[in-house]
Every structure is written in C-alpha cells, then in structure tokens.
Amino acid sequence: MFAIKDFLRTEVVPALGCTEPGAVALATARARKEIGSEEIKRIEVDVSPNIYKNGYAVGIPGVKDLKGNAVAAALGAICGKSEYGLEALKCCDISDIKKAMQLVKAGLVTVSPNFSKSGVYVKVTIITDKRTCSCFIEDRHDNITKIMMDGKLILSKRKRLPVIQNSEKASIFDAIKNMTFNELTSLLNDIDDEDIKYIYEGIKMNMAVAHIGLDPDNDYGLGVGKTIFKMIKSDDFSALPLKIKAYAAAAADARMAGISKPVMSSAGSGNHGITAILPVYLVADFYKKTMEETAKAVALGHLTTSFLKSRTGRLSPICGCTVAAGAGAAAGITYLLSQDMTKVEDAIEIHVSNLIGMICDGAKDTCALKVGTGAYEAYTAAMIALEKNGHDIPRGIIGETLEETVDNMAELSNKGMKNVDTIIISLLQNNIS
C-alpha cells in the first residue's frame, strides 16, 4: 500500500505544455543526449494513436503559433533537457526555435501513428551518419523505459514504476485499479503539512495560468475564458459557477496555445489538473475554507481523477478532462461542503452520467471549451448531490456501486469506442492531404 505523499508526487506533477508533445520532446531530448552532437539526418517519431491525436494540433510552449508533435520532436533534439522531465523544453530560445524549424521544414522529422499500440507509447529514433538511437516512453508520459543504440539495449527499466512499498512489479496507477474507492480515499487521513503545501503549489500554479488566460491584454486560443468572464455581472453565489467555468477555460486557453508556464497535472494530464483543481479551489475560496480543508478537497479530486483514469487508461477516446477530472472536481466540491462520502459518490455518478458521451478529438484550442464544460458541470453535479437524498437505482451506465459505474464507463470507452481514435486520425490526415 502506498501513502498519500507517494500518490501526490507520482500522479500530481508539474507539466509544461500539453503532456503528449511533452512526452515526444522528452523522448527526443533523451535520445539526443545519448547520441551527442552529431548532425541529425532524420528523426522518426512512432506513437500510439492517442499520442498522435493529442499532439497533432496543440501549441508548443514558448513557440508562438507553432504546433504539433513534429515541432516538439525537433525542439527536443535541439534544446531539450531530459533531466527536466515533462518540462524538457523550458530552456528553449529564439535561435533554438529557428534551428528546430529548419529540421521540420526540411522534412527531416516524421510522425506516424502506430495502431498496434494504445495509451501512452512514444518511440523516437534519431539517425545520424554514424549512429542510430531510439528512446521509448510507456505507460506514463515521463516514464522512459528503454534506450537502444545501434540496435543494442543500453538502458532498460521496468515498464511500470514501482510502488513505494511491498510490490515491485505494480505501479501506483496499477494499484489504484485494484482498489475500491473507499480504500483509495482513506489516504486522505494521512495528509500532513508538507502535503498541504505541495497541493497549494499546484493551486497557485494553475491559478497563475488562469489569470494569464483572463488578462485582456493577452490573446490565447479562442479566448473562451475571457468571453465567459465578461458574462459575470456580480460576485455573489449566482456568479460562482460562471467564474469556475471562466477560470478553468482561461487556463486551458493559455495552455493549449503554448504558454511557457507549467500547470500542475493530474493523472498524467495538465488539462486534467486544471479541471480537478480550479473548481474546488474557487468554491473553497468563496466559502472561506481553511488551507487544510481546501487541500483535502483538492487531494480528493486528484484521487478521484486517478480512480477513473486507472479504469479507462491514461489516454482514451472519452475526454478525460471533462469526464474523469470533472468527476474529480465534483467529488472535491461535494466533500468540501459536506464531508459526506455517500454524497461524494453521488456527485461522481451524476457528473459521469451527464458527460460520458464527450469524445476526445485531440488536444487543441477547443479543449478550453471542454475544460470549461467539465468544470461547470462538476459544480452542478456537486450541488445536485448535496440536495438529493438516497442512492438512485441502477440505470444507464450507473451501477449498484461506484466501482461498477466506473467499470461500465471504462467498458464503454475501451470497447464501445475502440474505433473512435482511428476515425479521428483519418479525419486529421485527410485535412492535410
């Protein structure tokens, strides 16, 4: 069994830019580190359909108006620092961007979807006149599992990161899949001052990006957050749900446009982190909750997000920002205002029932619309759960227990929507053919 501290440091970490091209940049940076300063002849990027789709049209941090996995790979090779993990591109400058774009424009970077892979899978191969180096990332966006030089294995790690205690072969993410919701949320009892401080670092990080997205002097993406914020005419209870939607969408506006600021992620995704954190914090701020009360509620949001994602997988056809992280926010808000875990479970099921059909068609500026929707509907689900009495009978995907409901959700995503990513990638490729 792992501790809340282990969970937070594994499932809740800073991420610069979208985590899919971030993983591509990280793998490329590591391959480049191994191969040295030799002139690059070609960079080949082989990724799962999920990574291909989510990195296809999203902004790259610090690179104004440039998007996509190919740009991320080129930057990773020119200026990426693998020791920074998912923030591998944080030290890039204008000259680095020019060099990277020369590689892209010369057609030296290719990105291909590998339909035999699923979830998080990245293989980057750098080819020079003398050597060929490949770096693999699997399961987690920052989990480098293997490096090969000229066909020989030079680094091999267990595919999954070890749990801190007892099981060497399982990861925290895997362990969550085998836990009940009550078992997982019991970790809240062990939160200490260090954990509270860490959770607040994430709150401050994501609020800072939201404020940038709301700044009228900035122009990021579709400006979803700023547009919604203009609709707010008061600062009372009635304005709270719109404020939640505006802040969450604004953070996604800035992030999807490639702002050079990290956000605190949740379950491997920065947008998940925005959705899971900001609604809970804004409700806590409105009701003047203590730091400990707020941190526990945000932590529950992260635990809930990972609980759902452990069933569907890190990446899935269903939009995890709205469904999984939104359920996390609903759980956190409900807990914050009631401390009633029965109502928390009700809120999760209400939220999932509402948004289960929202698909992920790749990371891009319109993700701000979905993040805003997930945040707003999380608040709505929490309010309904707080008002209702008793548990609904099973209907639709709702089962007898929360675990059954989430398993039903995962079956719909993993089996019922198994062809969605293939179709979306075909549509993406047709757009450039």
Side-chain angles (χ1 to χ4, degrees):
M1 180 66 175
F2 54 89
I4 186 67
K5 200 176 300 294
D6 304 323
F7 168 83
L8 290 171
R9 275 39 171 212
T10 303
E11 293 291 294
V12 184
V13 296
L16 182 68
C18 182
T19 37
E20 279 69 57
V24 171
L26 172 58
T28 313
R30 184 57 187 273
R32 178 57 150 169
K33 181 178 180 179
E34 296 294 338
I35 212 165
S37 59
E38 297 172 18
E39 183 181 355
I40 295 174
K41 296 300 182 182
R42 195 161 72 253
I43 301 174
E44 297 175 352
V45 182
D46 182 70
V47 295
S48 67
N50 310 90
I51 298 288
Y52 184 91
K53 175 186 68 175
N54 283 350
Y56 182 85
V58 70
I60 306 298
V63 190
K64 186 174 176 57
D65 299 327
L66 296 177
K67 303 176 179 181
N69 286 319
V71 175
L75 285 168
I78 296 299
C79 60
K81 303 292 184 184
S82 59
E83 56 267 33
Y84 295 149
L86 292 176
E87 296 183 85
L89 300 181
K90 70 179 183 179
C91 294
C92 295
D93 59 25
I94 296 298
S95 64
D96 294 324
I97 294 169
K98 290 180 179 179
K99 292 175 184 177
M101 291 312 300
Q102 287 173 359
L103 293 175
V104 175
K105 290 176 180 178
L108 302 182
V109 184
T110 59
V111 182
S112 303
N114 185 335
F115 289 99
S116 70
K117 302 295 182 179
S118 62
V120 177
Y121 174 83
V122 177
K123 175 188 176 185
V124 173
T125 302
I126 295 181
I127 301 166
T128 71
D129 281 335
K130 298 178 180 179
R131 296 186 294 174
T132 298
C133 183
S134 296
C135 178
F136 297 75
I137 288 178
E138 298 172 88
D139 286 346
R140 288 173 49 84
H141 293 79
D142 59 352
N143 187 32
I144 294 174
T145 57
K146 185 167 58 176
I147 299 175
M148 301 187 72
M149 185 72 76
D150 297 326
K152 295 181 180 179
L153 193 65
I154 62 174
L155 174 71
S156 179
K157 298 193 298 184
R158 287 189 180 91
K159 190 177 178 183
R160 301 183 185 278
L161 298 178
V163 172
I164 304 302
Q165 300 174 5
N166 299 328
S167 173
E168 291 184 349
K169 295 184 179 179
S171 72
I172 285 178
F173 194 67
D174 290 329
I176 293 171
K177 187 174 182 179
N178 296 314
M179 297 171 71
T180 67
F181 189 65
N182 285 340
E183 287 171 341
L184 181 61
T185 56
S186 68
L187 297 178
L188 290 173
N189 298 327
D190 298 323
I191 282 183
D192 60 23
D193 289 343
E194 183 182 34
D195 299 326
I196 292 172
K197 181 180 178 181
Y198 184 77
I199 290 166
Y200 260 82
E201 288 175 6
I203 292 170
K204 292 176 182 177
M205 200 177 289
N206 291 8
M207 282 294 289
V209 174
H211 283 130
I212 292 171
L214 289 171
D215 188 339
D217 294 329
N218 292 326
D219 184 21
Y220 289 111
L222 296 178
V224 178
K226 287 193 295 186
T227 301
I228 294 169
F229 196 73
K230 291 178 182 178
M231 302 177 189
I232 299 174
K233 303 302 181 183
S234 67
D235 197 32
D236 60 12
F237 176 79
S238 65
L240 185 55
L242 271 185
K243 183 177 181 181
I244 288 169
K245 186 170 187 175
Y247 270 71
D253 278 324
R255 185 168 182 269
M256 292 293 94
I259 187 174
S260 293
K261 296 285 185 182
V263 298
M264 189 62 85
S265 68
S266 187
S269 165
N271 279 358
H272 284 41
I274 290 169
T275 310
I277 292 172
L278 292 184
V280 183
Y281 170 71
L282 289 168
V283 172
D285 183 62
F286 182 85
Y287 285 101
K288 309 300 181 186
K289 297 294 183 177
T290 66
M291 285 186 66
E292 181 176 359
E293 290 171 329
T294 304
K296 278 191 172 183
V298 171
L300 177 59
H302 289 307
L303 289 166
T304 303
T305 301
S306 288
F307 183 76
L308 270 66
K309 295 296 290 186
S310 73
R311 270 66 173 177
T312 62
R314 291 282 185 193
L315 300 173
S316 68
I318 289 176
C319 175
C321 302
T322 55
V323 182
I333 294 169
T334 306
Y335 181 79
L336 185 74
L337 299 180
S338 72
Q339 287 77 52
D340 185 333
M341 293 304 294
T342 298
K343 290 186 178 296
V344 165
E345 293 190 13
D346 285 343
I348 294 169
E349 292 190 326
I350 291 166
H351 184 85
V352 170
S353 297
N354 184 7
L355 297 179
I356 186 63
M358 187 174 288
I359 63 167
C360 170
D361 59 339
K364 58 204 174 311
D365 52 8
T366 54
C367 285
L369 293 165
K370 295 182 179 182
V371 168
T373 295
Y376 184 95
E377 297 302 334
Y379 178 82
T380 301
M383 295 302 104
I384 295 171
L386 291 170
E387 290 289 334
K388 71 191 289 287
N389 293 307
H391 187 76
D392 285 341
I393 60 172
R395 59 170 66 104
I397 67 162
I398 302 303
E400 293 279 2
T401 65
L402 177 61
E403 287 77 15
E404 186 178 324
T405 297
V406 177
D407 286 342
N408 291 344
M409 166 188 154
E411 185 166 5
L412 177 63
S413 176
N414 299 335
K415 295 181 181 179
M417 296 186 176
K418 64 182 179 180
N419 293 324
V420 166
D421 285 344
T422 302
I423 294 169
I424 288 173
I425 288 172
S426 176
L427 294 173
L428 293 175
Q429 292 175 332
N430 287 341
N431 287 338
I432 60 173
S433 62

